[in-house]
Amino acid sequence: GAGMTKFGELWDMSLRDLFVDAALKAMSDAGVDTLDSMYIGNMSGGQFVGQEHLGPLMADHLGVAGVPAMRVESACASGGMALRAAYFEVASGMSDFVLASGVEKMNDGADVTGVLATASDQEEEVYYGVTFPGLYAMIARAHMEKYGTTEEDLSWVSVKAHRNGANNPHAQFRRVMSLEDVMTSSVVAEPLRLLHCSPVTDGGAALILCPADRAHEFTDQPVKILGSGAATSTLALANRMDPADLDVVELSGTRAFEQAGISPRDVDVAEVHDCFAIAEICCYEALGFVERGKGKDAAKDGVTDLGGAIPVNVSGGLKSKGHPVGATGISQAVTIVDQLRGKAGDVQVDGARIGLA
């Protein structure tokens, strides 16, 4: 089962409201009213809204007090790692019904730039004034120097994102942006402009996992997890071998492909992390969808568009759909579930059978 809230500046919903709304939608979709366990992906509830210890809080407000519940923190990968933990618990045979969820409430007055900066290296980066837009600007500059990527190449990624997001009822920004709109938006951290950057977002998303041999009890459209890969890179950008390459994406992708027994060519639709436009371009290359150095042309040439060779971020991605940090990884998986069930509406990829988040 899968469910998510609308994404955006949701002033009338609290952190717990967002979680409960998404979780109830997933449970309803799955047709289950009990859980054996639950994982809550969340980057920084303590700094955004002053709330830590989310496990018992969310179990209580979902009406399942007593169920083991754990908060999972891994910055922007919090939701993805919550899903991975839930997957392991079900696959081990320990539990049959596990909730994998993610939630973030970012618009309640916190210094968002400062909170997000806690996910970078405090001593080697933050102390000297670096922010995440600054870090990704350096990644963009490195990619430009190495492969000849231009600001226009970055901008086509944003144009595609908004074109897809305009058709996503959950998206924060449901409006089309032209190439001129993107390239004339204000500079945030050169060469990144405002419309190359994901927004500040509230939202929640949730999935219900069960053993594959029981899925037929609940749905005639089961979606199987074929493989899961995870990895880490050095936290400080300056310590990486090549700032233009996302080695951690390549490593985690390779591990997932190997477990699933497939290659990048077998993927029909993908949701990747486009917190900034350059990140999506780097993901194309790191995941093997295009050759190194060819990522800059993929969005412009329609390779990753709906109807292209490998549709990427048909949801609108973080750029248009929004980026409530802890919920993002789960929302990507929800999008893939909808695609594989043929329920993605105007952004449905015809015949999608294998998806990647």
Side-chain angles (χ1 to χ4, degrees):
M4 61 183 292
T5 69
K6 187 183 185 318
F7 282 9
E9 295 183 18
L10 307 180
W11 300 103
D12 59 345
M13 297 184 74
S14 68
L15 182 71
R16 67 189 71 186
D17 293 334
L18 292 166
F19 167 81
V20 169
D21 183 64
L24 288 177
K25 286 175 178 175
M27 293 177 72
S28 175
D29 186 45
V32 300
D33 57 10
T34 61
L35 296 172
D36 296 324
S37 181
M38 51 192 276
Y39 293 88
I40 304 107
N42 176 264
M43 177 187 161
S44 201
Q47 293 192 81
F48 281 129
V49 297
Q51 182 66 63
E52 301 282 12
H53 207 25
L54 299 186
L57 176 72
M58 299 311 187
D60 182 22
H61 282 269
L62 184 58
V64 294
V67 169
M70 179 187 296
R71 178 252 187 116
V72 178
E73 188 280 311
S74 190
C76 298
S78 296
M81 293 300 271
L83 174 56
R84 182 172 162 88
Y87 162 59
F88 285 163
E89 182 164 336
V90 173
S92 73
M94 178 64 71
S95 299
D96 276 359
F97 303 109
V98 179
L99 175 74
S101 64
V103 65
E104 208 79 60
K105 178 69 173 169
M106 302 174 71
N107 280 294
D108 273 16
D111 173 7
V112 175
T113 300
V115 174
L116 294 178
T118 63
S120 55
D121 191 313
Q122 291 294 308
E123 292 186 15
E124 296 189 13
E125 295 175 325
V126 179
Y127 177 80
Y128 298 100
V130 172
T131 64
F132 265 100
L135 289 167
Y136 275 90
M138 287 190 277
I139 292 173
R141 180 57 64 200
H143 205 276
M144 289 173 164
E145 292 292 331
K146 186 173 183 178
Y147 298 119
T149 307
T150 67
E151 190 177 310
E152 181 177 332
D153 295 331
L154 300 176
S155 300
W156 279 113
V157 174
S158 299
V159 170
K160 174 181 67 72
H162 280 277
R163 184 165 60 243
N164 290 338
N167 291 311
N168 180 358
H170 295 104
Q172 180 167 357
F173 294 129
R174 297 191 63 192
R175 58 180 183 267
V176 173
M177 295 288 183
S178 68
L179 184 65
E180 182 181 6
D181 290 333
V182 179
M183 294 190 69
T184 57
S185 61
S186 58
V187 174
V188 174
E190 195 276 334
L192 300 180
R193 295 180 178 271
L194 182 65
L195 292 183
H196 296 137
C197 308
S198 59
V200 175
T201 313
D202 305 329
L207 295 164
I208 304 291
L209 278 63
C210 80
D213 60 6
R214 294 199 61 186
H216 68 279
E217 299 174 28
F218 307 96
T219 179
D220 58 2
Q221 293 181 304
V223 173
K224 298 179 182 179
I225 297 179
L226 299 180
S228 172
T232 57
S233 186
T234 64
L235 190 58
L237 180 63
N239 293 333
R240 297 181 189 175
M241 291 294 293
D242 188 344
D245 296 332
L246 294 184
D247 57 344
V248 68
V249 177
E250 179 177 10
L251 189 55
S252 60
T254 297
R255 290 169 177 170
F257 289 137
E258 288 178 351
Q259 184 183 349
I262 65 171
S263 75
R265 293 186 300 275
D266 297 313
V267 176
D268 298 313
V269 59
E271 290 285 306
V272 306
H273 200 79
D274 61 318
C275 48
F276 300 90
I278 185 59
E280 181 168 329
I281 289 173
C282 291
C283 284
Y284 297 159
E285 298 172 353
L287 291 168
F289 294 150
V290 300
E291 295 177 17
R292 294 281 182 189
K294 302 295 186 182
K296 63 186 178 62
D297 303 314
K300 177 177 60 180
D301 294 345
V303 173
T304 55
D305 208 350
L306 197 64
I310 171 64
V312 176
N313 287 348
V314 294
S315 67
L318 285 58
K319 175 67 203 73
S320 176
K321 179 184 64 181
H323 183 26
V325 184
T328 288
I330 300 291
S331 73
Q332 291 177 321
V334 169
T335 296
I336 296 301
V337 168
D338 288 343
Q339 285 285 337
L340 300 185
R341 288 176 170 175
K343 296 181 177 180
D346 292 336
V347 292
Q348 179 66 49
V349 175
D350 293 339
R353 290 184 55 80
I354 296 179
L356 174 146

